[in-house]
Amino acid sequence: SQELEQSPQSLIVQEGKNLTINCTSSKTLYGLYWYKQKYGEGLIFLMMLQKGGEEKSHEKITAKLDEKKQQSSLHITASQPSHAGIYLCGADIVAYKYIFGTGTRLKVLA
Amino acid sequence: NAGVTQTPKFQVLKTGQSMTLQCAQDMNHEYMSWYRQDPGMGLRLIHYSVGAGITDQGEVPNGYNVSRSTTEDFPLRLLSAAPSQTSVYFCASSISTGAGANVLTFGAGSRLTVL
């Protein structure tokens, strides 16, 4: 069973539109991490959330972790073609053992 | 600064052959790990290490061996390749071994096909 549920699985948006990706766990997380993967490449770290209610932003991407530390959202404002790729949430529920969601494929149409 | 280096990038094997995927990092990271990425399955942890001489199993360890003789290197060995091991493999490392503060640095991946 997938311990981190990610939705939607894929997303196609017009350039300039906002979008949200969700990541949900049935367990309380030590930390929640967001990564981006360009097609055919490795993962690049975006943001880490550790505290319940925490929110972080970088350029046009904002990530939030709910108070219970079981759900996170990644919001992109005014999407651009450079935002295209696969977004994955990751978490360490148990020390040293990292799990990932199945990923969200984002395509941004120019 | 090279980060995490994986070799080879591509490999085709026949069923039953053995091979080693190499992973090296130059950041003095204690934690290193191997993942496989399959369509619809996300990334799954194969093996990990919290320091030289210390390794442990992840979610999908069967068919794979690892060792960690130095801080820098963490090779993944396939002893007898099977078609089910066709996948993209990623090595990742982290400076921290503590839960909740474990930002991973990934290699570029190794695409393995087993015929």
Side-chain angles (χ1 to χ4, degrees):
Chain A
S1 63
Q2 194 66 32
E3 293 187 73
L4 277 184
E5 295 290 337
Q6 203 171 326
S7 63
Q9 289 188 338
S10 64
L11 204 49
I12 302 174
V13 299
Q14 203 70 36
E15 182 177 2
K17 295 295 185 183
N18 303 336
L19 63 104
T20 300
I21 300 168
N22 294 302
C23 179
T24 303
S25 171
S26 58
K27 301 177 183 178
T28 299
L29 308 170
Y30 286 112
L32 190 288
Y33 313 80
W34 284 99
Y35 292 84
K36 179 185 177 183
Q37 182 181 24
K38 289 192 174 181
Y39 298 107
E41 298 181 14
L43 281 71
I44 303 297
F45 169 72
L46 294 175
M47 275 175 276
M48 173 175 67
L49 303 165
Q50 295 173 287
K51 300 176 184 176
E54 187 173 10
E55 179 175 324
K56 287 187 177 178
S57 294
H58 177 67
E59 296 180 343
K60 294 185 178 180
I61 300 177
T62 300
K64 301 178 185 180
L65 183 62
D66 75 340
E67 289 290 341
K68 291 185 178 180
K69 297 176 67 176
Q70 289 184 272
Q71 186 167 3
S72 178
S73 61
L74 185 84
H75 184 77
I76 298 177
T77 303
S79 58
Q80 301 169 352
S82 61
H83 287 129
I86 303 171
Y87 290 82
L88 294 100
C89 61
D92 35 8
I93 293 177
V94 177
Y96 313 133
K97 293 189 176 181
Y98 219 105
I99 59 171
F100 286 88
T102 52
T104 296
R105 289 181 173 268
L106 173 63
K107 183 178 281 190
V108 180
L109 303 176
Chain B
N1 194 354
V4 178
T5 303
Q6 287 184 237
T7 55
K9 290 190 182 301
F10 302 95
Q11 183 72 47
V12 179
L13 290 178
K14 293 181 180 178
T15 297
Q17 287 184 317
S18 62
M19 76 156 301
T20 299
L21 297 176
Q22 302 290 347
C23 176
Q25 53 90 10
D26 61 358
M27 299 172 284
N28 203 31
H29 284 175
E30 289 296 325
Y31 182 86
M32 295 186 74
S33 51
W34 277 102
Y35 300 84
R36 58 178 290 173
Q37 186 176 36
D38 303 292
M41 301 293 291
L43 282 158
R44 291 180 292 170
L45 180 63
I46 304 172
H47 284 285
Y48 67 94
S49 169
V50 297
I54 306 170
T55 64
D56 205 348
Q57 297 180 350
E59 182 184 356
V60 288
N62 292 341
Y64 307 95
N65 275 0
V66 292
S67 60
R68 184 100 179 265
S69 56
T70 67
T71 299
E72 294 78 19
D73 300 301
F74 191 45
L76 180 71
R77 298 182 185 84
L78 283 71
L79 301 177
S80 178
S84 61
Q85 293 179 303
T86 293
S87 188
V88 181
Y89 291 85
F90 288 98
C91 178
S93 70
S94 170
I95 194 168
S96 169
T97 58
N102 218 6
V103 175
L104 295 171
T105 300
F106 282 84
S110 298
R111 185 175 294 273
L112 175 66
T113 301
V114 182
L115 304 175

